[in-house]
Amino acid sequence: MTQIHGFIEPTRRPGALGVHSVDHFAFSVPDLKAAQHFYTNFGLDVRETGNQLELYTAGNPHRWTSIGEGPRKALGYISLGVFEEEFGRFQVHFERLRIARMDPPPGVESNGLWVRDCNGILVEVKIAEKSSPSEKSPFAQPSAVPGIRSAPLRGAGGLVMPRRMAHLLVFVRDVDASIKFYADVFGMRLSDRAGGGAFMHGIHGSDHHMLAFGQSDAPGIQHCSWDVGSVDEVGSGAMQMVDKGYTAGWGLGRHVLGSNFFHYVRDPWGSWCEYSADIDYIPADMDWEGKAHPPENSFYLWGPEPPPEFHVNYESPNAV
Ligand SMILES: [Fe+2]
């Protein structure tokens, strides 16, 4: 890969057909003001456009999320980015697989290809710049030399502001079918799986997972994850949310699958927003061997017990 003045040339795997990024995702909530308060305090750049909110990260022009208003919190769609040269190949690919093409949701302007996945989730495939990283994201946890104080005074560190969206974990009805569908139809690959969870990466170079699945009886958003540069930022992010009243969370901890340090904050609708640092990276020229692991020792390496509601899909009509 070539680095010129901080610009990283997007990596790609020649010849292979596959999406390169989760470009963005969309969902609805009953109260946009609550969403604005939550995501602003999380450290995101929340912009009002028309009757919806859009989530950006500081200094990055990419729109990661669209949030509309609806009767309840509900996943709207997932948008996957492809290189311009591959778009026509995807059209042919979908026709060959006899995947029915759908219309975009009302009010969404799009030149993309819209399909429903095996769970009924609406998915767009569109030409987009590669928003997944093309190298491992920088991570640092500096140690002071002797005679120098390392930690700043509390509150002196400023607001934690994630650098980019890292991944999205959606509830699905059938994890095995979803792994196969996203591999066969969108060219993604399995990184690892354990119990009712599976983690997928992009073939053109991405984090260990840019999309993940969790077993449920209905589609839904379990969490979205946002990349920060240090363990300190993970912990400080958790504290900045506690200071604003978002006291329910899970962390600090370290995952096994993906290896990232994490803290999850419970959002106003019972799903989760993750500060993530130092997630594993799978380069475009590597064939990562997807494996199944025992869930009891692959979910997290260390950290507190997850709260029982961590795995509850509040978008399911059967959620209690
Ligand atoms: Fe995550």
Side-chain angles (χ1 to χ4, degrees), residues 167 223 225 264 274:
H167 55 265
H223 79 265
S225 178
Y264 295 82
E274 178 185 20

Side-chain angles (χ1 to χ4, degrees), residues 167-169 199 209 212 222-225 255 260 262 264 274 276 279 310:
H167 55 265
L168 175 68
L169 194 153
F199 303 91
H209 46 283
Q222 195 271 340
H223 79 265
C224 55
S225 178
H255 282 301
N260 50 316
F262 65 81
Y264 295 82
E274 178 185 20
S276 167
I279 193 164
F310 190 73

